[in-house]
Amino acid sequence: MTFQLPAALARPFAGRKRLVTGVAKVFALLVALPLILTPIYAVVPPVSTLMLWSGLTGQGMKRDWVPLDEISPNLVNSVIMSEDGQFCSHWGVDWGALNAVLDREGGPSRGASTIAMQTVKNLFLWSSRSYIRKGLEIPLAYYADFILSKRRVMEIYLNIAEWGPGLFGAEAASQFYFKKPAAKLTPRQAALLTAALPNPITRNPAKPTRYLNSRARNIEARARAARDYVGCL
């Protein structure tokens, strides 16, 4: 004997089943996209979710992609020494830095993110801080570090980082704030751009506050001592 649900109960059950199936398909697509796109981004300049969101919401999307050779080493050194001093030695995640900040109030901070983690966050995730986002960043950062060279990770990061509303990448930022190509950034200008990264919407590298100037001086001093820290590039 075959049991059948009454029609009045079968319809809601079928609706819920379709909803669960739809959600599962969307989740599978979200998981598959980074796995598929990351190898493609080894050769193709990517567009990040933040860039797409900025364009869709009317903020604009200014980005001039340039190869790493056309970005001043001053900026590369400043970013590594400020954002991820162990960039050349870890495999995408710096567990020492991550463990040091996970227990702080307010959830995991930018200070816990390596350049690989920030890159995959910008490419595939969202900007608000949460343990869920951090949990997704970690496997994606390992994957990106495995698939991409350190040089390519840095090249992508510097070309998709946000430096103002609708302003993305080192070249666009350098032209906007200092009226020069990224290749010609001075140590001071590179340090100011780096100091603005944690909060690019409110920090203006061309009109630095006392705090931004102080932070830039510290970054500039650390960048001068980069040496082996940037050896993988």
Side-chain angles (χ1 to χ4, degrees):
M1 179 178 179
T2 303
F3 174 77
Q4 290 184 334
L5 286 173
L9 295 176
R11 284 192 295 271
F13 179 79
R16 287 194 294 271
K17 184 178 180 181
R18 285 194 296 270
L19 176 61
V20 171
T21 300
V23 170
K25 287 181 179 178
V26 170
F27 180 77
L29 178 62
L30 292 176
V31 170
L33 274 177
L35 300 181
I36 295 169
L37 290 175
T38 300
I40 294 174
Y41 290 161
V43 293
V44 175
V47 175
S48 69
T49 54
L50 186 57
M51 294 166 69
L52 292 173
W53 178 252
S54 181
L56 290 172
T57 55
Q59 298 178 64
M61 193 185 78
K62 174 65 175 175
R63 195 273 297 273
D64 299 316
W65 179 279
V66 292
L68 194 62
D69 286 338
E70 295 181 21
I71 298 175
S72 171
N74 293 320
L75 183 59
V76 175
N77 294 352
S78 293
V79 166
I80 286 182
M81 298 306 289
S82 174
E83 300 287 294
D84 185 5
Q86 301 304 314
F87 175 73
C88 285
S89 59
H90 62 63
W91 291 358
V93 178
D94 183 349
W95 283 103
L98 188 61
N99 289 331
V101 299
L102 280 178
D103 293 331
R104 292 179 185 172
E105 292 184 9
S109 71
R110 181 185 179 92
S113 293
T114 63
I115 288 171
M117 291 171 72
Q118 292 180 51
T119 299
V120 297
K121 182 261 292 182
N122 290 340
L123 284 175
F124 304 120
L125 303 174
W126 59 94
S127 57
S128 61
R129 294 175 181 174
S130 70
Y131 286 104
I132 294 175
R133 194 204 75 195
K134 190 66 66 178
L136 293 172
E137 278 180 27
I138 291 171
L140 287 175
Y142 275 125
Y143 181 63
D145 192 80
F146 176 74
I147 295 294
L148 306 173
S149 68
K150 292 287 188 181
R151 185 176 180 83
R152 184 59 173 176
V153 171
M154 177 59 69
E155 186 173 69
I156 291 175
Y157 176 71
L158 290 177
N159 275 285
I160 66 172
E162 184 180 26
W163 261 292
L167 187 67
F168 297 91
E171 180 68 17
S174 183
Q175 294 284 0
F176 181 81
Y177 291 117
F178 301 118
K179 313 304 180 188
K180 62 169 59 176
K184 296 187 179 298
L185 287 168
T186 66
R188 179 64 175 170
Q189 291 165 343
L192 284 167
L193 283 174
T194 303
L197 277 173
N199 198 346
I201 303 303
T202 61
R203 296 179 183 179
N204 186 333
K207 298 178 180 179
T209 61
R210 181 179 299 177
Y211 169 78
L212 199 63
N213 268 319
S214 175
R215 179 168 170 77
R217 281 194 296 271
N218 290 334
I219 292 172
E220 188 177 355
R222 294 176 66 187
R224 286 196 295 268
R227 298 186 185 90
D228 293 342
Y229 289 98
V230 297
C232 59
L233 300 175

